[in-house]
Amino acid sequence: MSAPPRIGFVSLGCPKALVDSERILTRLRAEGYDVVGSYADADLVVVNTCGFIDDAVHESLEAIGEALAQNGRVIVTGCLGAQPEKITARHPAVLKVTGPQAYEELIAAVHEQLPPLHDPYLDLLPPQGIRLTPRHYAYLKIAEGCDHRCTFCIIPALRGRLRSRPLAEVMPEAERLVRAGVKELLVIAQDTSAWGRDLRHATGFRGGRPMNSSFTELARALGSLGAWVRLHYVYPYPQVDEIIPLMAGGQLLPYLDIPFQHGSPRILRLMKRPARTGNTLARIRAWREACPTLTLRSTFIVGFPGETAADFEQLLDWLREAQLDRVGCFRYSPVAGAAANALPDPVPEELKQERYERFMELAATISASRLAARIGSRTRVLVDGVEDRLAIARSAAEAPEIDGVVRIADPGTLRPGDHAEVEITGADAYDLSARRLAAGAP
Ligand code: SF4
């Protein structure tokens, strides 16, 4: 068995810092790191700093300099980490700076620089963690919480404000998943395209190179891992325009899941939806021009309080014009604690049902015609399952669980997790059928 990775640790400052050090060391020991007493024996040194008064700042900077001189691989954390520029200005060679109480970020930085050993006899967890999805796809949650206040939703009250997971956490997790055999990453958050806003788009590092904590940069980095990358719960903020070229260029799947929720500006205002202003139909047209293979998925709510017949017709017109590929719809139902409950003019249940049926009928017609247009085309698919001489697969245009599937007759040796080239031979309202093409077929 290989030797465990060895960490040197310098703890400076007050008892609170000491407790932080103990907590970090406990976690590292539990993960199998050896904590060693000299710089020479360590593979990496963590310096937990103090920045309370000038003397403490001086002492911390000296300690970082000593660790760099004697070991060379240094991560800095603690109170002085709240002012990273003070550290990097004097010691640009430090590998990473994390702030006080940023335990997860620090542990992620240690993992990135010095991965823990995976011992199949002792570790209860596989390297990719425990996942409930099949081996070949995985959800990658990039943030918690939400800064919006949509009137029908209580998630911000339940989960709090937006907290983006730092780059040092998200990228190593994505890399681990891909190394463990994941072929498709499904990127999720309550508001995926807001990622990094609460981090003030701080600069992080990937592979030693600086990288902004912006949604576009993250999408680009994820797109470089060699797996399919699918974006869910994206709001149409202006920066979404920047990721369309990544889709057209093949780095990201040309698939956008944008919960538009309605087509009437009046209802969107009542819903207090993010990015509700601006002409979404014009944006959709521009996206499709830039990336003709783009698949658009969305969800809608019918029967929102105050929705008039005219609002509903406007929604249908919007959908006819938008020609979305995949659409889900909910009848509005009041959630305890949601602000929308106080809005006047609730829509009667029978009317909600009637509007739901009309909406879904139109959505099915659009879906059927868009799928029929794919007959005869060739596409790459990822196989989810094989049963009774039939493979159930998906192309870039189908997300698992929520969209339709591509059924391949006579799949031969195909197994779950395999990619295959197919020709689309048939379509119904939601699913496609296909035949497998021989490898290298013209
Ligand atoms: S529905 Fe609105 S408030 Fe709720 S999580 Fe989504 S963006 Fe946030």
Side-chain angles (χ1 to χ4, degrees), residues 347-425:
V347 176
E349 288 305 318
E350 323 78 72
L351 194 51
K352 277 186 205 166
Q353 180 64 23
E354 187 191 313
R355 289 179 181 173
Y356 170 80
E357 284 167 18
R358 284 185 62 202
F359 181 93
M360 287 313 290
E361 201 179 317
L362 173 61
T365 311
I366 294 171
S367 173
S369 88
R370 293 190 71 81
L371 291 183
R374 289 174 62 189
I375 295 175
S377 67
R378 294 176 172 202
T379 189
R380 188 167 172 76
V381 294
L382 180 60
V383 176
D384 280 339
V386 182
E387 54 190 46
D388 298 337
R389 297 173 53 77
L390 194 70
I392 306 297
R394 293 174 295 104
S395 73
E398 290 89 31
E401 310 292 339
I402 50 174
D403 293 335
V405 295
V406 180
R407 294 196 179 87
I408 310 167
D410 293 324
T413 54
L414 285 181
R415 292 283 163 267
D418 286 349
H419 282 291
E421 303 297 326
V422 301
E423 180 182 319
I424 305 297
T425 53

Side-chain angles (χ1 to χ4, degrees), residues 10 21 60 72 98 102 145 163 182 223 226 232 272 284 312 337 379 425:
V10 180
S21 294
S60 294
T98 69
R163 292 179 316 286
V182 164
H232 286 286
K272 293 203 176 149
I284 289 172
F312 180 65
T379 189
T425 53

Side-chain angles (χ1 to χ4, degrees), residues 122-141:
L122 296 178
D123 288 356
L124 294 174
L125 298 179
Q128 74 277 22
I130 290 185
R131 293 188 291 110
L132 301 173
T133 46
R135 277 183 71 83
H136 59 279
Y137 67 80
Y139 291 94
L140 180 69
K141 191 174 198 180

